[in-house]
Amino acid sequence: MKTKSYQINQRVKLVVVPNCQFKTVQLAINFASTASSPQIVSERALLSYVQAVSSSKYINQQAVARQLISLSGSQYQTDVQLFGNQHQVRFLLQCPNPQYINQNSDYLEANLAFMKSMIFEPLLDSVSSFNADVVSQERQSLLNELLSLADDKVDFALAQLRQLTIPVPALQSSALGKVEEIQTVSSQQLYQSHQRMIHHDQVTITVLGDVDADQLFKTFSQWPWGDAELATQTDQSSFMDLSQQELSIKNESRPQMEQAVLTKNYLLPINPSSDQRFTAMVLNTMFGGAPISKLFMNIREKHSLCYSIVSRWQLDWRLLTVIVGLGADTVDQVSNMIELERQALATGDFSDQLLADVRAMLINDYLSQLDVPMSLLSMILRQEMTQLKITPQEWIAKIKAVQRDDIQSLAQQMRAIYQYNLLPEEL
């Protein structure tokens, strides 16, 4: 993948990936700032909801939808994410390639003008206050989303495990913020949060498609980005340190539950910028990240001790998380078996065929992502945010290079640091 990079100013970078493979143009504008408090995270989450449905030019969701229809069915949305200590507010646009709908370059400019309005021209009640009706409506939408997550027992258990594991209050909740904070955000506070984002965030613009990169640079250079320099307090660290944590187990009961949920965090003490991250990917998939993994085959299939079991790898915190749905009477047994499977990897008790199959599976999944425009765009943006840049050929070679000794060595260093068990309430 060849990219063209432009530095609009110290805070704002444009990355263009010329690509004639797709019939669409994908655009992501990512605003990143240090998640300094739960209040800031909650304000930015609510801001993303409000800016998804209104601007001074498009005053409600219906007006936004009509404009997108007039742009030949372009799609627009917002999103929020936490990565390391960064809270990211992301504006996403997908539009048809102009040549496929008999349009000229003005069509792409019209899409960019729409996006500019949605980001920089919010609907206000006064000079320094967001529209109260829109804020109230979107506040309720965000609260409903958070409450639905709390109702899901797996999401709830993972949220509790995150609070146990992560020592920074602003990072203990999801990127959507906290209910108690969102309930109190005023329209004036939301305006101030918007101004901080526009004027002080690190901004990465990523464009994928058959586009004129130089013309895009000219267009984006004219947008009102605010201050050219980063705020002095901005800390753009992507990777966090949990090396001092020790094992702790917490049990909680919840009414109206028939199954238990076991969640367990393992720390993998790797250098995130080294080739160890590829070993971690392979190890996670062998451990519990696929239906052919040791946890799935031995605990679920062979011994039928759980309903579901999976592991996932989180590079920014260097955490491997195991998530199990099971009966309350097997929690201790399954927890012990998870550790035994880790020990099996550490001693080399796995077949060469499993290692080969896992490497092939990861490569096939990666190649399939390259054929999905939004997945490819997210991949490029993540590389820009972490500065861990790599070509597809290099990525595949790194996965193929992971050997048995690499897996054993990393599995030996793995250690459980927190476990949270959500149990049915005893009658």
Side-chain angles (χ1 to χ4, degrees), residues 77-94:
Q77 66 185 86
T78 62
D79 189 20
V80 289
Q81 294 187 12
L82 280 171
F83 189 82
N85 73 342
Q86 296 178 17
H87 189 269
Q88 302 175 7
V89 179
R90 192 167 297 176
F91 299 85
L92 302 160
L93 182 74
Q94 174 182 289

Side-chain angles (χ1 to χ4, degrees), residues 268-288 311 313 315 320 345 350 355 358-359 362 390 395-414:
L268 275 62
I270 70 167
N271 178 351
S273 61
S274 74
D275 288 349
Q276 286 182 305
R277 70 184 188 273
F278 298 98
T279 302
M281 292 180 205
V282 176
L283 184 151
N284 172 64
T285 308
M286 292 180 68
F287 191 48
S311 69
W313 165 239
L315 177 64
L320 189 153
L345 291 179
F350 56 88
L355 177 57
V358 163
R359 287 190 301 224
L362 285 168
I390 190 169
W395 194 97
I396 291 169
K398 296 292 186 185
I399 292 294
K400 287 182 176 180
V402 176
Q403 300 299 316
R404 169 181 289 275
D405 290 347
D406 301 318
I407 298 296
Q408 287 184 238
S409 176
L410 188 53
Q412 289 164 11
Q413 298 173 63
M414 277 177 67

Side-chain angles (χ1 to χ4, degrees), residues 307-326:
Y307 307 105
S308 62
I309 187 165
V310 68
S311 69
R312 66 186 191 189
W313 165 239
Q314 191 174 338
L315 177 64
D316 53 342
W317 287 96
R318 285 164 279 194
L319 288 174
L320 189 153
T321 304
V322 180
I323 308 153
V324 193
L326 71 174

Side-chain angles (χ1 to χ4, degrees), residues 17-19 22 24-27 206-210 373 376-377 380:
V17 187
N19 188 305
F22 306 119
T24 57
V25 175
Q26 312 285 330
L27 170 66
T206 313
V207 185
L208 171 68
D210 187 8
L376 178 56
L377 186 74
I380 296 164

Side-chain angles (χ1 to χ4, degrees), residues 59 62 77 81 98 143 186 191 193 212 226 267 307 359 390:
I59 63 172
Q62 290 73 31
Q77 66 185 86
Q81 294 187 12
L143 289 172
S186 69
Y191 176 82
S193 184
D212 184 334
L267 178 66
Y307 307 105
R359 287 190 301 224
I390 190 169

